[in-house]
Amino acid sequence: QVRLVESGGGLVQAGGSLRLSCAASGSIFSINAMGWYRQAPGKQRELVATITSGGSTNYADSVKGRITISRDNVRNTLYLQMNSLEPEDTAIYYCAAGGLLGSTMIPTYWGQGTQVTVSS
């Protein structure tokens, strides 16, 4: 079992920055990938960024160049550094952990989510 707890969400003005954190605990040895997903009001949950155990990253086109996903393996913590935020980034952000099918992450565990609101 893996437990994921997100933190760092909040309200920020357009153009600002925010860093989300996800603390992982439990049976993490089988986890080959972690990622961030988001769900805006009225929209489907979508991939934001993923990172594999080997350090390979993948980003959604809409956020590429503005955000960076990273992981601190010592602290078992996943991060999402978000810069140049836009109102369209407003959503609940979820941390996820799971495996890989090729280069595609398969989420197995989910955090509770943290709200990010970007005002114009």
Side-chain angles (χ1 to χ4, degrees):
Q1 190 64 241
V2 174
R3 186 188 184 209
L4 305 172
V5 180
E6 302 100 329
S7 63
L11 175 65
V12 64
Q13 292 194 46
S17 299
L18 207 61
R19 188 175 79 159
L20 306 182
S21 299
C22 172
S25 61
S27 302
I28 63 175
F29 299 103
S30 63
I31 300 300
N32 293 317
M34 297 188 71
W36 290 94
Y37 295 73
R38 67 186 182 186
Q39 187 166 21
K43 294 185 177 181
Q44 299 295 313
R45 188 173 300 185
E46 65 176 353
L47 170 72
V48 177
T50 61
I51 185 169
T52 70
S53 59
S56 298
T57 58
N58 185 37
Y59 297 93
D61 290 339
S62 60
V63 302
K64 193 172 298 181
R66 299 190 296 115
I67 70 166
T68 302
I69 188 171
S70 62
R71 172 155 51 171
D72 185 333
N73 291 327
V74 176
R75 299 178 182 271
N76 292 324
T77 302
L78 182 73
Y79 300 99
L80 188 71
Q81 178 66 50
M82 303 186 290
N83 301 318
S84 301
L85 285 166
E86 305 168 353
E88 292 73 22
D89 295 316
T90 296
I92 300 176
Y93 284 70
Y94 297 91
C95 178
L100 287 169
L101 277 180
S103 61
T104 302
M105 178 179 173
I106 307 300
T108 302
Y109 304 96
W110 295 91
Q112 81 287 349
T114 184
Q115 177 71 49
V116 171
T117 302
V118 184
S119 63
S120 60

Short mmCIF file of all heavy atoms in Angstrom, two decimals, residues 1-6 22-37 45 78 94-99 105-113:
data_model
loop_
_atom_site.label_atom_id
_atom_site.label_comp_id
_atom_site.label_asym_id
_atom_site.label_seq_id
_atom_site.Cartn_x
_atom_site.Cartn_y
_atom_site.Cartn_z
N GLN A 1 0.84 -1.19 0.00
CA GLN A 1 0.00 0.00 0.00
C GLN A 1 0.88 1.24 0.00
O GLN A 1 1.93 1.26 0.64
CB GLN A 1 -0.93 0.03 1.21
CG GLN A 1 -1.99 1.10 1.16
CD GLN A 1 -2.96 0.90 0.02
OE1 GLN A 1 -3.06 1.76 -0.86
NE2 GLN A 1 -3.64 -0.25 0.00
N VAL A 2 0.46 2.24 -0.76
CA VAL A 2 1.19 3.48 -0.87
C VAL A 2 0.25 4.62 -0.50
O VAL A 2 -0.89 4.68 -0.95
CB VAL A 2 1.73 3.70 -2.29
CG1 VAL A 2 2.37 5.09 -2.41
CG2 VAL A 2 2.74 2.62 -2.64
N ARG A 3 0.75 5.51 0.32
CA ARG A 3 -0.01 6.69 0.71
C ARG A 3 0.66 7.92 0.13
O ARG A 3 1.88 8.08 0.21
CB ARG A 3 -0.11 6.82 2.22
CG ARG A 3 -1.01 7.95 2.68
CD ARG A 3 -0.92 8.16 4.16
NE ARG A 3 -1.85 9.19 4.62
CZ ARG A 3 -1.67 9.96 5.68
NH1 ARG A 3 -0.57 9.81 6.41
NH2 ARG A 3 -2.57 10.86 6.01
N LEU A 4 -0.14 8.80 -0.45
CA LEU A 4 0.35 10.02 -1.06
C LEU A 4 -0.40 11.20 -0.45
O LEU A 4 -1.62 11.21 -0.40
CB LEU A 4 0.13 10.00 -2.57
CG LEU A 4 0.71 8.81 -3.34
CD1 LEU A 4 0.24 8.83 -4.78
CD2 LEU A 4 2.23 8.83 -3.27
N VAL A 5 0.35 12.19 0.00
CA VAL A 5 -0.24 13.37 0.62
C VAL A 5 0.31 14.62 -0.05
O VAL A 5 1.51 14.90 0.04
CB VAL A 5 0.04 13.41 2.13
CG1 VAL A 5 -0.60 14.66 2.74
CG2 VAL A 5 -0.49 12.17 2.81
N GLU A 6 -0.58 15.36 -0.71
CA GLU A 6 -0.17 16.59 -1.40
C GLU A 6 -0.23 17.79 -0.47
O GLU A 6 -1.00 17.82 0.50
CB GLU A 6 -1.07 16.86 -2.61
CG GLU A 6 -1.11 15.75 -3.64
CD GLU A 6 -2.34 14.89 -3.51
OE1 GLU A 6 -2.85 14.73 -2.37
OE2 GLU A 6 -2.81 14.38 -4.55
N CYS A 22 4.42 16.31 -2.71
CA CYS A 22 3.69 15.07 -2.50
C CYS A 22 4.58 14.12 -1.73
O CYS A 22 5.59 13.65 -2.24
CB CYS A 22 3.28 14.45 -3.84
SG CYS A 22 2.57 12.79 -3.71
N ALA A 23 4.20 13.86 -0.48
CA ALA A 23 4.96 12.95 0.37
C ALA A 23 4.44 11.53 0.18
O ALA A 23 3.25 11.27 0.35
CB ALA A 23 4.85 13.38 1.82
N ALA A 24 5.34 10.61 -0.15
CA ALA A 24 4.98 9.22 -0.38
C ALA A 24 5.46 8.35 0.76
O ALA A 24 6.57 8.53 1.28
CB ALA A 24 5.57 8.72 -1.70
N SER A 25 4.64 7.39 1.16
CA SER A 25 5.01 6.47 2.21
C SER A 25 4.37 5.11 1.94
O SER A 25 3.44 5.00 1.14
CB SER A 25 4.60 7.00 3.58
OG SER A 25 3.20 7.17 3.67
N GLY A 26 4.88 4.07 2.61
CA GLY A 26 4.35 2.74 2.44
C GLY A 26 5.24 1.88 1.56
O GLY A 26 6.46 2.04 1.55
N SER A 27 4.63 0.96 0.83
CA SER A 27 5.36 0.03 -0.02
C SER A 27 5.69 0.67 -1.35
O SER A 27 5.04 0.41 -2.38
CB SER A 27 4.53 -1.25 -0.21
OG SER A 27 4.22 -1.86 1.03
N ILE A 28 6.71 1.48 -1.36
CA ILE A 28 7.05 2.26 -2.55
C ILE A 28 8.06 1.56 -3.46
O ILE A 28 8.40 2.10 -4.51
CB ILE A 28 7.59 3.64 -2.17
CG1 ILE A 28 8.88 3.51 -1.36
CG2 ILE A 28 6.53 4.42 -1.37
CD1 ILE A 28 9.55 4.84 -1.05
N PHE A 29 8.52 0.39 -3.07
CA PHE A 29 9.55 -0.30 -3.86
C PHE A 29 9.07 -0.68 -5.25
O PHE A 29 9.87 -0.74 -6.18
CB PHE A 29 10.04 -1.54 -3.11
CG PHE A 29 10.65 -1.26 -1.79
CD1 PHE A 29 9.96 -1.49 -0.62
CD2 PHE A 29 11.94 -0.75 -1.71
CE1 PHE A 29 10.52 -1.23 0.61
CE2 PHE A 29 12.52 -0.48 -0.48
CZ PHE A 29 11.81 -0.72 0.69
N SER A 30 7.79 -0.95 -5.39
CA SER A 30 7.24 -1.36 -6.67
C SER A 30 6.83 -0.19 -7.56
O SER A 30 6.38 -0.39 -8.68
CB SER A 30 6.03 -2.28 -6.46
OG SER A 30 4.99 -1.59 -5.78
N ILE A 31 6.98 1.02 -7.06
CA ILE A 31 6.59 2.21 -7.81
C ILE A 31 7.66 2.56 -8.82
O ILE A 31 8.81 2.83 -8.46
CB ILE A 31 6.33 3.40 -6.87
CG1 ILE A 31 5.20 3.06 -5.89
CG2 ILE A 31 5.99 4.64 -7.68
CD1 ILE A 31 3.88 2.74 -6.57
N ASN A 32 7.29 2.57 -10.09
CA ASN A 32 8.22 2.88 -11.16
C ASN A 32 8.04 4.28 -11.74
O ASN A 32 8.90 4.76 -12.48
CB ASN A 32 8.11 1.86 -12.28
CG ASN A 32 8.57 0.48 -11.86
OD1 ASN A 32 9.59 0.34 -11.18
ND2 ASN A 32 7.84 -0.54 -12.27
N ALA A 33 6.93 4.90 -11.40
CA ALA A 33 6.67 6.24 -11.92
C ALA A 33 5.77 7.00 -10.97
O ALA A 33 4.93 6.42 -10.28
CB ALA A 33 6.04 6.16 -13.30
N MET A 34 5.94 8.30 -10.95
CA MET A 34 5.06 9.17 -10.20
C MET A 34 4.70 10.35 -11.09
O MET A 34 5.42 10.66 -12.04
CB MET A 34 5.71 9.66 -8.90
CG MET A 34 6.03 8.55 -7.93
SD MET A 34 6.58 9.16 -6.31
CE MET A 34 5.02 9.83 -5.68
N GLY A 35 3.59 10.97 -10.77
CA GLY A 35 3.17 12.07 -11.62
C GLY A 35 2.16 12.98 -10.96
O GLY A 35 1.66 12.72 -9.87
N TRP A 36 1.90 14.07 -11.66
CA TRP A 36 0.89 15.02 -11.25
C TRP A 36 -0.21 15.07 -12.31
O TRP A 36 0.09 15.15 -13.51
CB TRP A 36 1.47 16.42 -11.07
CG TRP A 36 2.37 16.55 -9.88
CD1 TRP A 36 3.73 16.42 -9.85
CD2 TRP A 36 1.97 16.84 -8.54
NE1 TRP A 36 4.20 16.62 -8.57
CE2 TRP A 36 3.14 16.88 -7.74
CE3 TRP A 36 0.74 17.08 -7.93
CZ2 TRP A 36 3.11 17.14 -6.37
CZ3 TRP A 36 0.70 17.34 -6.56
CH2 TRP A 36 1.89 17.37 -5.81
N TYR A 37 -1.43 15.03 -11.87
CA TYR A 37 -2.60 15.19 -12.72
C TYR A 37 -3.43 16.33 -12.17
O TYR A 37 -3.29 16.72 -11.01
CB TYR A 37 -3.43 13.91 -12.76
CG TYR A 37 -2.73 12.73 -13.38
CD1 TYR A 37 -1.70 12.07 -12.72
CD2 TYR A 37 -3.11 12.26 -14.64
CE1 TYR A 37 -1.05 10.99 -13.29
CE2 TYR A 37 -2.47 11.17 -15.22
CZ TYR A 37 -1.44 10.54 -14.54
OH TYR A 37 -0.82 9.46 -15.11
N ARG A 45 -10.01 14.78 -15.81
CA ARG A 45 -8.69 14.78 -15.21
C ARG A 45 -7.65 14.57 -16.31
O ARG A 45 -7.82 13.72 -17.19
CB ARG A 45 -8.58 13.68 -14.16
CG ARG A 45 -7.29 13.73 -13.36
CD ARG A 45 -7.31 12.73 -12.21
NE ARG A 45 -8.39 13.00 -11.28
CZ ARG A 45 -8.58 12.35 -10.14
NH1 ARG A 45 -7.74 11.38 -9.78
NH2 ARG A 45 -9.60 12.65 -9.35
N LEU A 78 7.71 14.04 -3.98
CA LEU A 78 7.56 14.49 -5.35
C LEU A 78 7.23 15.98 -5.35
O LEU A 78 6.46 16.45 -4.51
CB LEU A 78 6.45 13.70 -6.04
CG LEU A 78 6.18 14.00 -7.51
CD1 LEU A 78 7.31 13.43 -8.37
CD2 LEU A 78 4.84 13.41 -7.93
N TYR A 94 -3.58 16.46 -8.37
CA TYR A 94 -3.47 15.17 -7.70
C TYR A 94 -2.11 14.55 -7.94
O TYR A 94 -1.61 14.53 -9.06
CB TYR A 94 -4.53 14.20 -8.21
CG TYR A 94 -5.95 14.62 -7.94
CD1 TYR A 94 -6.67 15.38 -8.86
CD2 TYR A 94 -6.58 14.23 -6.76
CE1 TYR A 94 -7.97 15.76 -8.61
CE2 TYR A 94 -7.90 14.61 -6.51
CZ TYR A 94 -8.59 15.37 -7.44
OH TYR A 94 -9.88 15.74 -7.20
N CYS A 95 -1.54 14.04 -6.89
CA CYS A 95 -0.31 13.26 -6.98
C CYS A 95 -0.68 11.80 -7.25
O CYS A 95 -1.68 11.30 -6.72
CB CYS A 95 0.47 13.38 -5.67
SG CYS A 95 1.99 12.41 -5.60
N ALA A 96 0.09 11.13 -8.09
CA ALA A 96 -0.18 9.74 -8.42
C ALA A 96 1.11 8.93 -8.45
O ALA A 96 2.19 9.46 -8.72
CB ALA A 96 -0.87 9.64 -9.78
N ALA A 97 0.97 7.64 -8.17
CA ALA A 97 2.10 6.71 -8.22
C ALA A 97 1.64 5.43 -8.89
O ALA A 97 0.49 5.02 -8.76
CB ALA A 97 2.64 6.43 -6.83
N GLY A 98 2.56 4.78 -9.61
CA GLY A 98 2.20 3.55 -10.27
C GLY A 98 3.34 2.96 -11.07
O GLY A 98 4.50 3.15 -10.75
N GLY A 99 2.97 2.25 -12.13
CA GLY A 99 3.95 1.58 -12.97
C GLY A 99 4.02 2.21 -14.34
O GLY A 99 3.47 3.27 -14.60
N MET A 105 2.71 6.14 -18.09
CA MET A 105 2.47 5.88 -16.68
C MET A 105 1.08 5.30 -16.46
O MET A 105 0.11 5.78 -17.06
CB MET A 105 2.63 7.15 -15.85
CG MET A 105 2.35 6.94 -14.38
SD MET A 105 2.55 8.43 -13.38
CE MET A 105 1.94 7.83 -11.79
N ILE A 106 0.99 4.30 -15.61
CA ILE A 106 -0.27 3.70 -15.24
C ILE A 106 -0.50 4.01 -13.76
O ILE A 106 0.08 3.37 -12.89
CB ILE A 106 -0.29 2.18 -15.47
CG1 ILE A 106 0.13 1.85 -16.90
CG2 ILE A 106 -1.66 1.61 -15.16
CD1 ILE A 106 -0.77 2.45 -17.95
N PRO A 107 -1.34 4.99 -13.45
CA PRO A 107 -1.56 5.35 -12.04
C PRO A 107 -2.25 4.24 -11.27
O PRO A 107 -3.21 3.64 -11.75
CB PRO A 107 -2.45 6.59 -12.13
CG PRO A 107 -2.29 7.10 -13.53
CD PRO A 107 -2.06 5.89 -14.36
N THR A 108 -1.75 3.98 -10.08
CA THR A 108 -2.33 2.98 -9.21
C THR A 108 -2.82 3.60 -7.90
O THR A 108 -3.87 3.24 -7.38
CB THR A 108 -1.32 1.86 -8.90
OG1 THR A 108 -0.87 1.26 -10.12
CG2 THR A 108 -1.95 0.79 -8.02
N TYR A 109 -2.05 4.53 -7.39
CA TYR A 109 -2.37 5.20 -6.14
C TYR A 109 -2.54 6.69 -6.39
O TYR A 109 -1.86 7.28 -7.23
CB TYR A 109 -1.29 4.96 -5.10
CG TYR A 109 -1.00 3.51 -4.84
CD1 TYR A 109 0.04 2.86 -5.48
CD2 TYR A 109 -1.78 2.77 -3.94
CE1 TYR A 109 0.30 1.52 -5.25
CE2 TYR A 109 -1.52 1.44 -3.70
CZ TYR A 109 -0.48 0.82 -4.36
OH TYR A 109 -0.23 -0.52 -4.11
N TRP A 110 -3.45 7.29 -5.62
CA TRP A 110 -3.75 8.71 -5.76
C TRP A 110 -3.74 9.41 -4.42
O TRP A 110 -4.11 8.83 -3.39
CB TRP A 110 -5.12 8.91 -6.39
CG TRP A 110 -5.24 8.41 -7.80
CD1 TRP A 110 -5.63 7.17 -8.20
CD2 TRP A 110 -4.98 9.15 -8.99
NE1 TRP A 110 -5.62 7.09 -9.57
CE2 TRP A 110 -5.23 8.29 -10.08
CE3 TRP A 110 -4.56 10.46 -9.25
CZ2 TRP A 110 -5.07 8.70 -11.41
CZ3 TRP A 110 -4.40 10.86 -10.56
CH2 TRP A 110 -4.66 9.99 -11.62
N GLY A 111 -3.33 10.66 -4.44
CA GLY A 111 -3.44 11.49 -3.26
C GLY A 111 -4.82 12.11 -3.19
O GLY A 111 -5.68 11.87 -4.05
N GLN A 112 -5.06 12.92 -2.17
CA GLN A 112 -6.37 13.51 -1.97
C GLN A 112 -6.60 14.76 -2.79
O GLN A 112 -7.74 15.22 -2.93
CB GLN A 112 -6.58 13.83 -0.48
CG GLN A 112 -5.93 15.13 0.00
CD GLN A 112 -4.42 15.06 0.10
OE1 GLN A 112 -3.82 14.00 0.01
NE2 GLN A 112 -3.80 16.21 0.31
N GLY A 113 -5.54 15.33 -3.33
CA GLY A 113 -5.65 16.51 -4.15
C GLY A 113 -5.40 17.79 -3.38
O GLY A 113 -5.65 17.87 -2.18
#
